[in-house]
Amino acid sequence: MASRSYSSGDAKTGGEGTSGSPRRNINRLMYHAKQRGWLELDLIIGQWARDNLEGLTEEELGDFEELLAIENPDLFKFLTGQIDPEPHLESNRAFRMIRESVQDTMSFYGSFAATKAPKGANWVRGWDDKTSS
């Protein structure tokens, strides 16, 4: 599985080496969280980052940076529970926090009948579908 790196330093220092300020590091992580290239992940990761990055410890910021290096299709499937995450992600605090948030949201919205297809039916219907009364 390929991964990408957003930094010139290591995850322990947030990629900024010794010269980067904490504010600069958070801004850099925020940018990459909101600009992943997949709308769904831009929203999930970007909103979570906006709400939580400021309160993370240095270690958690390092975990978040590691999370950002995961390829989009895999990360989306890991977060939504479509496939089991790689074993090393179970110890990644940022991943666990985001996955819990995603799972809570899915449970909440999944409890509404209008968001589910009847068993055996397609969820997406055509414009001219008539619903039976």
Side-chain angles (χ1 to χ4, degrees):
M1 182 173 305
S3 65
R4 57 185 163 218
S5 177
Y6 292 113
S7 65
S8 58
D10 63 16
K12 298 276 188 229
T13 60
E16 293 296 324
T18 56
S19 63
S21 72
R23 175 80 263 157
R24 182 175 175 201
N25 186 34
I26 288 174
N27 288 345
R28 181 181 55 79
L29 292 172
M30 185 74 69
Y31 174 81
H32 289 295
K34 291 181 175 184
Q35 301 294 324
R36 294 191 57 86
W38 265 37
L39 177 61
E40 294 85 351
L41 285 176
D42 291 346
L43 294 171
I44 292 169
I45 305 292
Q47 182 177 13
W48 187 89
R50 184 195 68 216
D51 295 342
N52 296 283
L53 275 188
E54 297 283 340
L56 297 182
T57 65
E58 286 297 317
E59 293 81 20
E60 290 167 337
L61 288 172
D63 284 352
F64 185 71
E65 183 168 10
E66 181 182 317
L67 174 86
L68 292 177
I70 300 170
E71 292 293 331
N72 286 335
D74 297 325
L75 182 57
F76 185 77
K77 289 176 184 176
F78 295 154
L79 292 173
T80 58
Q82 295 177 42
I83 59 174
D84 291 332
E86 295 173 349
H88 75 277
L89 288 174
E90 291 300 332
S91 63
N92 183 307
R93 291 161 291 214
F95 173 78
R96 289 193 325 253
M97 288 185 275
I98 296 170
R99 182 179 58 184
E100 181 180 329
S101 173
V102 169
Q103 295 298 315
D104 288 348
T105 300
M106 289 174 61
S107 293
F108 175 75
Y109 286 106
S111 66
F112 297 111
T115 64
K116 295 180 184 177
K119 189 169 184 147
N122 292 328
W123 182 74
V124 177
R125 298 185 306 255
W127 287 103
D128 60 349
D129 260 3
K130 304 277 190 269
T131 57
S132 58
S133 303

